[in-house]
Amino acid sequence: MTPLLDIRNLAIDFATENGRVEAVKGISFTLAEGETLAIVGESGSGKSVTGLALTRLLPEPPAVYRTGEILLHGRDVLKMAPRDLRAIRGAKIAYIFQEPSTSLNPVFTIRNQIAEAIRLHRPEVRDLDAEVIKYLDLVGIVDPAKRLHDYPHQLSGGMQQRVMIAMALSCQPELLIADEPTTALDVTIQAQIMDQLRDLKTRVRMAIILITHNFGIINGIADRVAVMFRGKIVEYGPTHEVLANPQHAYTKALIQCIPQLGAQRERLTTIDHAALDAAQ
Amino acid sequence: MFNYVIRRLLYSVPILLGVIALTFLLFNVLQTPEAAAAMAIGSKAPQQAREAWIKSRGLDRPKTEQFVKHVKNLATFQFGTSWKTGRELNEVFRQGAGPSLLITLPGFLAGLLGGVGLALYQVYVRKSLLDRSITLFAVALMSVPTVVYIFFLQAVGALMLNYFPASGFDWRGWETAKFVALPIIVMAIVNLGSDVRLYRTIFMEEINQDYVRTALAKGLSSGVVLGKHVLKNGLIALITLTVATLPRLIMGSLLIENFFGIPGLGNLLVMAIGTSDQPVVLACTYLGSLLYIGGLILTDVCYALADPRIRLS
């Protein structure tokens, strides 16, 4: 059976004024239907670039897809015409981003922004209001009918991210890419949003790619984890195995960065890049 | 909103008083009543006639008394008569506003719509050769002095084609268009160059916002993202820059009206300055600032209407 997503030797460069920067250096992974993969890595490791590349959302130029294939149900996204790309964006692969307050358009109501996606990919839907309300309800927004005509600035950060999730789900995608979905939120809201995603995973049959720098949030949601370091996947395997028995020095370092409740530490652990270079 | 507008109108009273005081002071420093009389009825007029003129205008009264009367007149929109022509100024303004608006309004709209359209298109093809060519074209339009366009259009439209009058104006129903066509084109060209540059900057700033990425991730085409999401956000910035100038269109364009012989308010002001026609200049300055303040209030109202995050209170 062909997997939902099959990434083969994907390499992405950025053409900058100071020459070519290799952001992603030949990565490969697969994703089955309904599976959840966590891509973990620090800033600049290429994880967000990978997520955006899956529907070619990176601005080109500067982005250049140097090598590789992104096979969605066996079809290469990198060879698709713009029209076909638009047909998969939102409909097959949907996104939620790091900063919900700026990711929503400030001058349109949330009803307008969610209905826009539904109208585009599910023209058969008659009652848009009812459909929008259904998805707002699904992501745990209280009294969604009253929220329809709210503007993003009238909602809290957590609510805004729920609206983003509702918008992403409203077109019934097969894959949800959550790019640092909780990074801009405070810890309690972070936990709520992660609970929401875990809950949705069981209720809606959909694959998830969870992009994060935080090993602490992937437990209980990710089936597998890919650790990215300087544009490469340095470790890839079932989540419990990677967490229990990390092989790569970078993975070990990342896991050590998770602050432990009750641990007596004077300083938070940081990653020593010089030591990693020496190890390699 | 209503309370806000009222408060802003009250705030504008001291500003207007300041404008009136400054222009009044300026004229009284620059011009003695004797000089004014010589200017108005001629230096060869007999001494008695000049003294009688000064008396009839009340210029022999104490300055404070003159100033209070002046403020009263302006506040009640009684602009008096021109020193030079003796015509009733209220009547002059009524007659001049029409021709002025007939040129400035279409010129402004052409600059605005053409500018927004071209700028959006530039953002659509951003960083391409076409984008750069349009920028170059806009800079070229801006760099050529207005009089060059005026002379060129007069030479082509009036002398070579012999279709448009080189200058002049008359209300003749649809025929009126012939008199204003060339001035409108000049106005549009002059506005377009700078407008395109400005609007492109506004839209380019919006295109890098996160909500644009969200809209693209939904599967919207770049055309829809630009025409809906980016345009509405860009409009907010655009409003602050354009709406304030809107009421002032009624005051006309100094240069264009003068060269095309359009009897508008811009032309009126140019001639009044040339002849030191004090009542006309003072009234025009007052009206100009009044309209500008009106424009600023209108800007705030439009701002609140376009941006849901803004509440006027």
mmCIF file with all atom_site columns, all heavy atoms in Angstrom, chain B residues 26-44:
data_model
loop_
_atom_site.group_PDB
_atom_site.id
_atom_site.type_symbol
_atom_site.label_atom_id
_atom_site.label_alt_id
_atom_site.label_comp_id
_atom_site.label_asym_id
_atom_site.label_entity_id
_atom_site.label_seq_id
_atom_site.pdbx_PDB_ins_code
_atom_site.Cartn_x
_atom_site.Cartn_y
_atom_site.Cartn_z
_atom_site.occupancy
_atom_site.B_iso_or_equiv
_atom_site.pdbx_formal_charge
_atom_site.auth_seq_id
_atom_site.auth_comp_id
_atom_site.auth_asym_id
_atom_site.auth_atom_id
_atom_site.pdbx_PDB_model_num
ATOM 1   N N   . LEU B 1 26 ? 0.446  88.147  9.407   1.00 0.00 ? 26 LEU B N   1
ATOM 2   C CA  . LEU B 1 26 ? 1.366  88.170  8.277   1.00 0.00 ? 26 LEU B CA  1
ATOM 3   C C   . LEU B 1 26 ? 1.024  89.300  7.318   1.00 0.00 ? 26 LEU B C   1
ATOM 4   O O   . LEU B 1 26 ? 1.884  90.075  6.899   1.00 0.00 ? 26 LEU B O   1
ATOM 5   C CB  . LEU B 1 26 ? 1.279  86.827  7.549   1.00 0.00 ? 26 LEU B CB  1
ATOM 6   C CG  . LEU B 1 26 ? 2.538  86.293  6.900   1.00 0.00 ? 26 LEU B CG  1
ATOM 7   C CD1 . LEU B 1 26 ? 3.631  86.144  7.928   1.00 0.00 ? 26 LEU B CD1 1
ATOM 8   C CD2 . LEU B 1 26 ? 2.233  84.952  6.250   1.00 0.00 ? 26 LEU B CD2 1
ATOM 9   N N   . PHE B 1 27 ? -0.252 89.418  7.002   1.00 0.00 ? 27 PHE B N   1
ATOM 10  C CA  . PHE B 1 27 ? -0.653 90.452  6.061   1.00 0.00 ? 27 PHE B CA  1
ATOM 11  C C   . PHE B 1 27 ? -0.477 91.842  6.629   1.00 0.00 ? 27 PHE B C   1
ATOM 12  O O   . PHE B 1 27 ? -0.143 92.783  5.922   1.00 0.00 ? 27 PHE B O   1
ATOM 13  C CB  . PHE B 1 27 ? -2.102 90.233  5.614   1.00 0.00 ? 27 PHE B CB  1
ATOM 14  C CG  . PHE B 1 27 ? -2.171 89.543  4.293   1.00 0.00 ? 27 PHE B CG  1
ATOM 15  C CD1 . PHE B 1 27 ? -2.385 88.183  4.212   1.00 0.00 ? 27 PHE B CD1 1
ATOM 16  C CD2 . PHE B 1 27 ? -1.990 90.255  3.113   1.00 0.00 ? 27 PHE B CD2 1
ATOM 17  C CE1 . PHE B 1 27 ? -2.415 87.534  3.006   1.00 0.00 ? 27 PHE B CE1 1
ATOM 18  C CE2 . PHE B 1 27 ? -2.018 89.617  1.897   1.00 0.00 ? 27 PHE B CE2 1
ATOM 19  C CZ  . PHE B 1 27 ? -2.231 88.261  1.841   1.00 0.00 ? 27 PHE B CZ  1
ATOM 20  N N   . ASN B 1 28 ? -0.717 91.990  7.942   1.00 0.00 ? 28 ASN B N   1
ATOM 21  C CA  . ASN B 1 28 ? -0.600 93.314  8.529   1.00 0.00 ? 28 ASN B CA  1
ATOM 22  C C   . ASN B 1 28 ? 0.839  93.741  8.712   1.00 0.00 ? 28 ASN B C   1
ATOM 23  O O   . ASN B 1 28 ? 1.140  94.920  8.782   1.00 0.00 ? 28 ASN B O   1
ATOM 24  C CB  . ASN B 1 28 ? -1.373 93.369  9.854   1.00 0.00 ? 28 ASN B CB  1
ATOM 25  C CG  . ASN B 1 28 ? -2.847 93.599  9.582   1.00 0.00 ? 28 ASN B CG  1
ATOM 26  O OD1 . ASN B 1 28 ? -3.254 94.689  9.220   1.00 0.00 ? 28 ASN B OD1 1
ATOM 27  N ND2 . ASN B 1 28 ? -3.628 92.539  9.712   1.00 0.00 ? 28 ASN B ND2 1
ATOM 28  N N   . VAL B 1 29 ? 1.734  92.732  8.792   1.00 0.00 ? 29 VAL B N   1
ATOM 29  C CA  . VAL B 1 29 ? 3.153  93.071  8.859   1.00 0.00 ? 29 VAL B CA  1
ATOM 30  C C   . VAL B 1 29 ? 3.644  93.454  7.465   1.00 0.00 ? 29 VAL B C   1
ATOM 31  O O   . VAL B 1 29 ? 4.380  94.410  7.276   1.00 0.00 ? 29 VAL B O   1
ATOM 32  C CB  . VAL B 1 29 ? 3.968  91.878  9.407   1.00 0.00 ? 29 VAL B CB  1
ATOM 33  C CG1 . VAL B 1 29 ? 5.457  92.120  9.218   1.00 0.00 ? 29 VAL B CG1 1
ATOM 34  C CG2 . VAL B 1 29 ? 3.636  91.657  10.869  1.00 0.00 ? 29 VAL B CG2 1
ATOM 35  N N   . LEU B 1 30 ? 3.188  92.703  6.477   1.00 0.00 ? 30 LEU B N   1
ATOM 36  C CA  . LEU B 1 30 ? 3.691  92.879  5.113   1.00 0.00 ? 30 LEU B CA  1
ATOM 37  C C   . LEU B 1 30 ? 3.144  94.137  4.444   1.00 0.00 ? 30 LEU B C   1
ATOM 38  O O   . LEU B 1 30 ? 3.784  94.727  3.602   1.00 0.00 ? 30 LEU B O   1
ATOM 39  C CB  . LEU B 1 30 ? 3.307  91.669  4.268   1.00 0.00 ? 30 LEU B CB  1
ATOM 40  C CG  . LEU B 1 30 ? 4.064  90.384  4.552   1.00 0.00 ? 30 LEU B CG  1
ATOM 41  C CD1 . LEU B 1 30 ? 3.489  89.259  3.709   1.00 0.00 ? 30 LEU B CD1 1
ATOM 42  C CD2 . LEU B 1 30 ? 5.535  90.572  4.263   1.00 0.00 ? 30 LEU B CD2 1
ATOM 43  N N   . GLN B 1 31 ? 1.923  94.525  4.819   1.00 0.00 ? 31 GLN B N   1
ATOM 44  C CA  . GLN B 1 31 ? 1.231  95.515  4.020   1.00 0.00 ? 31 GLN B CA  1
ATOM 45  C C   . GLN B 1 31 ? 0.593  96.597  4.901   1.00 0.00 ? 31 GLN B C   1
ATOM 46  O O   . GLN B 1 31 ? -0.254 96.287  5.734   1.00 0.00 ? 31 GLN B O   1
ATOM 47  C CB  . GLN B 1 31 ? 0.135  94.794  3.220   1.00 0.00 ? 31 GLN B CB  1
ATOM 48  C CG  . GLN B 1 31 ? -0.081 95.351  1.858   1.00 0.00 ? 31 GLN B CG  1
ATOM 49  C CD  . GLN B 1 31 ? -1.096 94.514  1.111   1.00 0.00 ? 31 GLN B CD  1
ATOM 50  O OE1 . GLN B 1 31 ? -1.883 93.779  1.701   1.00 0.00 ? 31 GLN B OE1 1
ATOM 51  N NE2 . GLN B 1 31 ? -1.110 94.642  -0.192  1.00 0.00 ? 31 GLN B NE2 1
ATOM 52  N N   . THR B 1 32 ? 0.988  97.831  4.700   1.00 0.00 ? 32 THR B N   1
ATOM 53  C CA  . THR B 1 32 ? 0.313  98.926  5.394   1.00 0.00 ? 32 THR B CA  1
ATOM 54  C C   . THR B 1 32 ? -0.998 99.184  4.669   1.00 0.00 ? 32 THR B C   1
ATOM 55  O O   . THR B 1 32 ? -1.136 98.844  3.496   1.00 0.00 ? 32 THR B O   1
ATOM 56  C CB  . THR B 1 32 ? 1.164  100.214 5.358   1.00 0.00 ? 32 THR B CB  1
ATOM 57  O OG1 . THR B 1 32 ? 1.372  100.540 3.970   1.00 0.00 ? 32 THR B OG1 1
ATOM 58  C CG2 . THR B 1 32 ? 2.506  100.003 6.024   1.00 0.00 ? 32 THR B CG2 1
ATOM 59  N N   . PRO B 1 33 ? -1.985 99.809  5.354   1.00 0.00 ? 33 PRO B N   1
ATOM 60  C CA  . PRO B 1 33 ? -3.248 100.121 4.676   1.00 0.00 ? 33 PRO B CA  1
ATOM 61  C C   . PRO B 1 33 ? -3.025 100.968 3.423   1.00 0.00 ? 33 PRO B C   1
ATOM 62  O O   . PRO B 1 33 ? -3.702 100.774 2.412   1.00 0.00 ? 33 PRO B O   1
ATOM 63  C CB  . PRO B 1 33 ? -4.031 100.899 5.733   1.00 0.00 ? 33 PRO B CB  1
ATOM 64  C CG  . PRO B 1 33 ? -3.469 100.439 7.027   1.00 0.00 ? 33 PRO B CG  1
ATOM 65  C CD  . PRO B 1 33 ? -2.028 100.139 6.777   1.00 0.00 ? 33 PRO B CD  1
ATOM 66  N N   . GLU B 1 34 ? -2.029 101.891 3.493   1.00 0.00 ? 34 GLU B N   1
ATOM 67  C CA  . GLU B 1 34 ? -1.755 102.754 2.340   1.00 0.00 ? 34 GLU B CA  1
ATOM 68  C C   . GLU B 1 34 ? -1.310 101.920 1.144   1.00 0.00 ? 34 GLU B C   1
ATOM 69  O O   . GLU B 1 34 ? -1.768 102.128 0.017   1.00 0.00 ? 34 GLU B O   1
ATOM 70  C CB  . GLU B 1 34 ? -0.674 103.798 2.685   1.00 0.00 ? 34 GLU B CB  1
ATOM 71  C CG  . GLU B 1 34 ? -1.114 104.916 3.624   1.00 0.00 ? 34 GLU B CG  1
ATOM 72  C CD  . GLU B 1 34 ? -1.322 104.428 5.060   1.00 0.00 ? 34 GLU B CD  1
ATOM 73  O OE1 . GLU B 1 34 ? -0.635 103.464 5.478   1.00 0.00 ? 34 GLU B OE1 1
ATOM 74  O OE2 . GLU B 1 34 ? -2.200 104.996 5.760   1.00 0.00 ? 34 GLU B OE2 1
ATOM 75  N N   . ALA B 1 35 ? -0.416 100.983 1.403   1.00 0.00 ? 35 ALA B N   1
ATOM 76  C CA  . ALA B 1 35 ? 0.073  100.127 0.324   1.00 0.00 ? 35 ALA B CA  1
ATOM 77  C C   . ALA B 1 35 ? -1.065 99.294  -0.252  1.00 0.00 ? 35 ALA B C   1
ATOM 78  O O   . ALA B 1 35 ? -1.168 99.097  -1.465  1.00 0.00 ? 35 ALA B O   1
ATOM 79  C CB  . ALA B 1 35 ? 1.185  99.213  0.834   1.00 0.00 ? 35 ALA B CB  1
ATOM 80  N N   . ALA B 1 36 ? -1.931 98.826  0.663   1.00 0.00 ? 36 ALA B N   1
ATOM 81  C CA  . ALA B 1 36 ? -3.066 98.016  0.211   1.00 0.00 ? 36 ALA B CA  1
ATOM 82  C C   . ALA B 1 36 ? -3.965 98.834  -0.703  1.00 0.00 ? 36 ALA B C   1
ATOM 83  O O   . ALA B 1 36 ? -4.425 98.364  -1.752  1.00 0.00 ? 36 ALA B O   1
ATOM 84  C CB  . ALA B 1 36 ? -3.853 97.504  1.407   1.00 0.00 ? 36 ALA B CB  1
ATOM 85  N N   . ALA B 1 37 ? -4.203 100.079 -0.311  1.00 0.00 ? 37 ALA B N   1
ATOM 86  C CA  . ALA B 1 37 ? -5.062 100.946 -1.108  1.00 0.00 ? 37 ALA B CA  1
ATOM 87  C C   . ALA B 1 37 ? -4.441 101.191 -2.478  1.00 0.00 ? 37 ALA B C   1
ATOM 88  O O   . ALA B 1 37 ? -5.120 101.129 -3.514  1.00 0.00 ? 37 ALA B O   1
ATOM 89  C CB  . ALA B 1 37 ? -5.289 102.272 -0.380  1.00 0.00 ? 37 ALA B CB  1
ATOM 90  N N   . ALA B 1 38 ? -3.133 101.415 -2.474  1.00 0.00 ? 38 ALA B N   1
ATOM 91  C CA  . ALA B 1 38 ? -2.440 101.649 -3.742  1.00 0.00 ? 38 ALA B CA  1
ATOM 92  C C   . ALA B 1 38 ? -2.543 100.428 -4.640  1.00 0.00 ? 38 ALA B C   1
ATOM 93  O O   . ALA B 1 38 ? -2.751 100.534 -5.850  1.00 0.00 ? 38 ALA B O   1
ATOM 94  C CB  . ALA B 1 38 ? -0.972 101.990 -3.463  1.00 0.00 ? 38 ALA B CB  1
ATOM 95  N N   . MET B 1 39 ? -2.443 99.269  -4.016  1.00 0.00 ? 39 MET B N   1
ATOM 96  C CA  . MET B 1 39 ? -2.528 98.003  -4.748  1.00 0.00 ? 39 MET B CA  1
ATOM 97  C C   . MET B 1 39 ? -3.929 97.809  -5.334  1.00 0.00 ? 39 MET B C   1
ATOM 98  O O   . MET B 1 39 ? -4.092 97.379  -6.478  1.00 0.00 ? 39 MET B O   1
ATOM 99  C CB  . MET B 1 39 ? -2.207 96.868  -3.762  1.00 0.00 ? 39 MET B CB  1
ATOM 100 C CG  . MET B 1 39 ? -1.762 95.605  -4.417  1.00 0.00 ? 39 MET B CG  1
ATOM 101 S SD  . MET B 1 39 ? -0.074 95.769  -4.986  1.00 0.00 ? 39 MET B SD  1
ATOM 102 C CE  . MET B 1 39 ? 0.266  94.080  -5.349  1.00 0.00 ? 39 MET B CE  1
ATOM 103 N N   . ALA B 1 40 ? -4.926 98.154  -4.512  1.00 0.00 ? 40 ALA B N   1
ATOM 104 C CA  . ALA B 1 40 ? -6.304 97.844  -4.896  1.00 0.00 ? 40 ALA B CA  1
ATOM 105 C C   . ALA B 1 40 ? -6.842 98.801  -5.954  1.00 0.00 ? 40 ALA B C   1
ATOM 106 O O   . ALA B 1 40 ? -7.430 98.369  -6.948  1.00 0.00 ? 40 ALA B O   1
ATOM 107 C CB  . ALA B 1 40 ? -7.206 97.859  -3.663  1.00 0.00 ? 40 ALA B CB  1
ATOM 108 N N   . ILE B 1 41 ? -6.675 100.102 -5.721  1.00 0.00 ? 41 ILE B N   1
ATOM 109 C CA  . ILE B 1 41 ? -7.295 101.036 -6.689  1.00 0.00 ? 41 ILE B CA  1
ATOM 110 C C   . ILE B 1 41 ? -6.260 101.792 -7.509  1.00 0.00 ? 41 ILE B C   1
ATOM 111 O O   . ILE B 1 41 ? -6.593 102.679 -8.291  1.00 0.00 ? 41 ILE B O   1
ATOM 112 C CB  . ILE B 1 41 ? -8.252 102.037 -5.979  1.00 0.00 ? 41 ILE B CB  1
ATOM 113 C CG1 . ILE B 1 41 ? -7.496 102.838 -4.911  1.00 0.00 ? 41 ILE B CG1 1
ATOM 114 C CG2 . ILE B 1 41 ? -9.447 101.308 -5.379  1.00 0.00 ? 41 ILE B CG2 1
ATOM 115 C CD1 . ILE B 1 41 ? -8.359 103.944 -4.307  1.00 0.00 ? 41 ILE B CD1 1
ATOM 116 N N   . GLY B 1 42 ? -4.982 101.444 -7.323  1.00 0.00 ? 42 GLY B N   1
ATOM 117 C CA  . GLY B 1 42 ? -3.945 102.047 -8.156  1.00 0.00 ? 42 GLY B CA  1
ATOM 118 C C   . GLY B 1 42 ? -3.239 103.174 -7.437  1.00 0.00 ? 42 GLY B C   1
ATOM 119 O O   . GLY B 1 42 ? -3.861 103.973 -6.719  1.00 0.00 ? 42 GLY B O   1
ATOM 120 N N   . SER B 1 43 ? -1.913 103.244 -7.598  1.00 0.00 ? 43 SER B N   1
ATOM 121 C CA  . SER B 1 43 ? -1.134 104.252 -6.888  1.00 0.00 ? 43 SER B CA  1
ATOM 122 C C   . SER B 1 43 ? -1.336 105.644 -7.477  1.00 0.00 ? 43 SER B C   1
ATOM 123 O O   . SER B 1 43 ? -0.989 106.638 -6.874  1.00 0.00 ? 43 SER B O   1
ATOM 124 C CB  . SER B 1 43 ? 0.355  103.870 -6.930  1.00 0.00 ? 43 SER B CB  1
ATOM 125 O OG  . SER B 1 43 ? 0.724  103.621 -8.267  1.00 0.00 ? 43 SER B OG  1
ATOM 126 N N   . LYS B 1 44 ? -1.942 105.690 -8.665  1.00 0.00 ? 44 LYS B N   1
ATOM 127 C CA  . LYS B 1 44 ? -2.160 107.006 -9.268  1.00 0.00 ? 44 LYS B CA  1
ATOM 128 C C   . LYS B 1 44 ? -3.494 107.620 -8.852  1.00 0.00 ? 44 LYS B C   1
ATOM 129 O O   . LYS B 1 44 ? -3.816 108.740 -9.226  1.00 0.00 ? 44 LYS B O   1
ATOM 130 C CB  . LYS B 1 44 ? -2.106 106.873 -10.801 1.00 0.00 ? 44 LYS B CB  1
ATOM 131 C CG  . LYS B 1 44 ? -0.741 106.443 -11.320 1.00 0.00 ? 44 LYS B CG  1
ATOM 132 C CD  . LYS B 1 44 ? -0.509 106.974 -12.730 1.00 0.00 ? 44 LYS B CD  1
ATOM 133 C CE  . LYS B 1 44 ? 0.899  106.658 -13.218 1.00 0.00 ? 44 LYS B CE  1
ATOM 134 N NZ  . LYS B 1 44 ? 1.043  105.241 -13.648 1.00 0.00 ? 44 LYS B NZ  1
#
